[in-house]
Amino acid sequence: GLWAGIITLRAPGKKASDVARSLALGHRVFVRDLAWPGAEDGALRVSLHMFNTHDEVEKLMQGLQQALR
């Protein structure tokens, strides 16, 4: 069916704002960084929808792998 998802993730030791910036500048993938209770580094919010292609999701995953090294 037609459904969408919102994923919130944290990467301890990495600032969410830095990861978001890396994704935007290096991969043209845009996610939102946000405050997360009890976590100084924050969290990332990824919004997916039915119109995102497999290639776009793959680009997100590749960008995350690079940014989280």
Side-chain angles (χ1 to χ4, degrees), residues 9-42:
L9 58 104
R10 293 182 43 236
K14 297 282 187 176
K15 289 185 69 170
S17 57
D18 292 342
V19 176
R21 189 176 310 106
S22 175
L23 289 170
L25 295 175
H27 302 277
R28 294 194 46 81
V29 172
F30 301 95
V31 300
R32 173 96 165 105
D33 63 295
L34 51 108
W36 192 261
E40 293 180 16
D41 295 332

Side-chain angles (χ1 to χ4, degrees), residues 52-67:
N52 288 108
T53 66
H54 176 29
D55 289 342
E56 290 170 332
V57 175
E58 185 63 32
K59 189 164 51 165
L60 166 67
M61 297 308 294
Q62 289 174 358
L64 282 172
Q65 286 177 339
Q66 288 181 357

